[in-house]
């Protein structure tokens, strides 16, 4: 993970969640629901940590997970601080071991502040689950796209083993500055580029520079039309 929270920070959040869960040990029934939510948060954080260590994300996903993790950290810190209000050390017992155990304040219902914290934890659980689902969906899409590209490459290899892209780069390197600009500026070329269909026929004697001009045209088309699913550019030499 090369953004926002480091792996160390992320593991610290997981450990904080585990510590909060341990702090609820022996809590009365009024705290049962938040105990379950904290347990779920520990599990989902571990799943996200595994995903972050194996997958790569775009900037929007990086910002999204950073915001979520920051929210998790804040609510866990607030939960840990709030727990101190409802538990004290048992100073009445004779045994040191028994005195070390928490004595929970007797409550008849779930306190409002605990309910608010539980709602915040549930909100972060929802965000984390949505993030993981989005990552899984993107992974499936990338897998399908990779398989499609592999299939396309297999078809190209079947048609010819020659790598024309290497030849295109080689011809373009031979171009002198401003060479062929006259063709790109020509009205016939401009009309052809703007049209949805048509053929631009450029005959010439051997050695006239047709190959270099072709590489200039191919380069211009790539600059005009970045790779997408709507425009396909193919060429042979």
């Amino acid at each position: 993970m090369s953004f926002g929270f480091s792996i160390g920070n992320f593991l610290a959040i997981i450990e904080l969640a585990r510590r909060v869960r341990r702090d609820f040990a022996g809590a009365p029934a009024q705290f049962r629901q938040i105990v379950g939510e904290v347990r779920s948060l520990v599990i989902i954080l571990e799943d996200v940590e595994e995903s972050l260590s194996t997958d790569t994300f775009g900037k929007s996903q990086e910002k999204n997970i950073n915001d979520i993790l920051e929210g998790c950290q804040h609510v866990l810190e607030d939960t840990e601080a709030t727990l101190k209000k409802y538990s004290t050390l048992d100073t009445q017992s004779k045994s040191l071991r028994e005195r070390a155990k928490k004595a929970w304040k007797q409550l008849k219902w779930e306190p409002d502040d605990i309910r608010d914290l539980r709602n915040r934890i549930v909100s972060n659980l929802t965000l984390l689950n949505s993030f993981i689902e989005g990552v899984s969906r993107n992974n499936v899409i990338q897998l399908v796209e990779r398989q499609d590209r592999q299939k396309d490459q297999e078809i190209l290899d079947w048609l010819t083993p020659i790598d024309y892209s290497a030849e295109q780069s080689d011809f373009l390197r031979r171009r002198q500055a401003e060479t062929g600009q006259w063709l790109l500026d020509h009205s016939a070329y401009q009309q052809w580029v703007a049209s949805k269909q048509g053929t631009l026929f450029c005959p010439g004697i051997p050695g006239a520079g047709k190959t270099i001009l072709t590489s200039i045209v191919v380069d211009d088309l790539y600059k005009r039309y970045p790779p997408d699913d709507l425009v396909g550019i193919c060429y042979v030499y």
Side-chain angles (χ1 to χ4, degrees), residues 7-120:
I7 289 293
N9 290 336
F10 190 84
L11 294 176
I13 295 176
I14 295 178
E15 181 54 37
L16 173 60
R18 290 172 177 164
R19 186 169 68 244
V20 170
R21 184 188 174 196
R22 288 194 299 267
D23 287 344
F24 273 111
Q30 289 80 1
F31 296 90
R32 190 169 299 154
Q33 286 184 305
I34 194 171
V35 171
E37 305 300 354
V38 172
R39 178 179 179 276
S40 298
L41 187 59
V42 172
I43 294 173
I44 194 68
L45 282 171
E46 290 174 343
D47 290 343
V48 173
E49 190 275 329
E50 181 178 351
S51 176
L52 291 175
S53 63
T54 57
D55 298 319
T56 57
F57 310 108
K59 290 185 178 180
S60 61
Q61 288 179 309
E62 291 179 3
K63 184 180 185 306
N64 188 17
I65 190 59
N66 274 324
D67 292 341
I68 297 173
L69 292 178
E70 186 175 358
C72 290
Q73 182 177 8
H74 289 163
V75 70
L76 288 169
E77 290 173 345
D78 291 345
T79 302
E80 189 174 40
T82 302
L83 283 176
K84 297 178 181 179
K85 293 170 49 179
Y86 298 100
S87 63
T88 58
L89 289 180
D90 186 356
T91 57
Q92 303 300 320
S93 301
K94 296 181 181 180
S95 167
L96 178 63
R97 182 177 180 180
E98 291 179 351
R99 287 201 303 270
K101 294 182 179 178
K102 286 186 174 66
W104 291 87
K105 295 180 180 180
Q106 297 301 312
L107 302 169
K108 293 184 179 180
W109 50 78
E110 183 183 45
D112 290 340
D113 50 0
I114 292 295
R115 186 181 301 109
D116 291 341
L117 287 169
R118 180 163 58 83
N119 289 337
R120 288 170 59 190

Side-chain angles (χ1 to χ4, degrees), residues 14-15 63 86 113 134-135 145 148 150 158 172 178 235:
I14 295 178
E15 181 54 37
K63 184 180 185 306
Y86 298 100
D113 50 0
V135 170
E145 290 177 344
D148 288 343
Q150 182 178 357
W158 175 75
L172 201 59
E178 303 302 323
Y235 52 91

Side-chain angles (χ1 to χ4, degrees), residues 123-139:
S123 176
N124 279 282
L125 280 170
T126 302
L127 292 172
L128 285 169
N129 276 314
S130 297
F131 178 81
I132 289 181
E133 289 175 2
V135 170
S136 298
R137 185 166 53 251
N138 288 340
N139 286 343

